[in-house]
Amino acid sequence: MIRMVTMALDMVVIGAALMLGAPVAWAQAGSDRFPQLTKETLNEEQRRAAAEILKQSTSGIAGPWNVMLRSPDMADRLTKLLDYVRLKTSLPLRLNEFAIMITARHWSSQYEWWAHHRFAKKAGLPEEVMADLAQGRRPAAMQPDEAIVYDFCTELHRTHFVSDATFKKAKEMLGEQQVVDLMAVSGAYTLVSMLLNTAEVMPNDGSRPLPPLANR
């Protein structure tokens, strides 16, 4: 009976990956702190959580997913939140990815920056904006909506508060729902950054796209 359940879960996980074009990446590099989980090492709860992860992941169960799966119930709940904040918020995808990149820079999360750089570029965020952001500079070539996202998110990350002036501008330009979603994206990817940084997960290609910041 246990063998039948295991085989069925295998089929669900692999089938979800194939249907959605996700790689079946059971054995990508993890880290010394959290070695990469494999199909053979997953327990039943982790397999169920992995099946949901593979419906949206572009890295199999590598990256943050590998860390999250150590707590499968949390992983399942966070996966559902990330499904919304990654692709389904009320924000234009360009601004959504910008908020993620701002969070990655604030936390110096090398993997998060590396993983989302291509998504941000595809969504229309200019390369020169990301280049300035990577260097810790306020980007010079931002559109008005990008500027308010930068000011709002940067102020929130750095001071843990948002001034009346910044909030007023954000609400006028984005509206209430987008402001709330902007905070949700920033918070969710702060958690992802914490998972990645604590686990010391680095880009698969060995790069370090974010230089150290002089003011840190």
Side-chain angles (χ1 to χ4, degrees):
M1 180 66 180
I2 294 175
R3 180 177 175 80
M4 291 176 64
V5 170
T6 300
M7 290 175 64
L9 285 167
D10 280 347
M11 294 304 295
V12 169
V13 170
I14 294 172
L18 293 177
M19 284 194 310
L20 292 156
V24 185
W26 293 105
Q28 294 186 17
S31 69
D32 290 340
R33 293 184 175 185
F34 292 96
Q36 179 63 50
L37 294 169
T38 67
K39 180 177 67 173
E40 290 73 27
T41 59
L42 293 181
N43 61 36
E44 185 174 332
E45 287 183 283
Q46 289 171 327
R47 285 175 179 271
R48 291 197 182 97
E52 293 303 312
I53 286 169
L54 286 172
K55 293 178 182 179
Q56 63 170 286
S57 172
T58 59
S59 59
I61 58 167
W65 312 107
N66 177 58
V67 186
M68 289 161 53
L69 280 169
R70 265 63 183 198
S71 180
D73 191 30
M74 184 280 289
D76 185 58
R77 294 165 190 264
L78 182 53
T79 297
K80 291 179 173 64
L81 174 61
L82 291 174
D83 180 53
Y84 178 76
V85 299
R86 166 70 180 87
L87 291 169
K88 298 175 181 176
T89 74
S90 59
L91 290 158
L93 189 55
R94 169 178 53 89
L95 300 182
N96 209 74
E97 287 295 333
F98 192 24
I100 295 171
M101 298 296 277
I102 293 167
T103 305
R105 175 63 279 189
H106 177 75
W107 282 90
S108 294
S109 179
Q110 301 285 357
Y111 186 95
E112 188 166 278
W113 181 280
W114 172 80
H116 279 270
H117 183 275
R118 65 186 185 276
F119 298 139
K121 186 174 181 179
K122 185 177 180 181
L125 189 65
E127 186 65 48
E128 56 267 33
V129 169
M130 290 188 281
D132 279 347
L133 181 62
Q135 296 297 324
R137 298 190 295 262
R138 189 178 193 276
M142 292 185 291
Q143 298 296 320
D145 56 356
E146 294 166 355
I148 193 56
V149 165
Y150 176 85
D151 292 342
F152 186 97
C153 292
T154 300
E155 193 172 314
L156 185 57
H157 283 305
R158 289 181 179 173
T159 73
H160 306 156
F161 296 93
V162 176
S163 67
D164 287 343
T166 301
F167 180 81
K168 183 174 184 292
K169 289 179 183 177
K171 185 175 177 181
E172 288 174 350
M173 179 165 289
L174 302 175
E176 286 187 340
Q177 184 177 358
Q178 290 190 13
V179 169
V180 171
D181 282 348
L182 187 58
M183 291 185 284
V185 172
S186 300
Y189 277 91
T190 290
L191 174 53
V192 173
S193 295
M194 289 179 171
L195 293 169
L196 290 167
N197 286 4
T198 300
E200 298 181 335
V201 179
M202 299 300 293
N204 295 350
D205 62 4
S207 65
R208 286 180 175 266
L210 293 174
L213 296 179
N215 61 351
R216 291 289 178 88

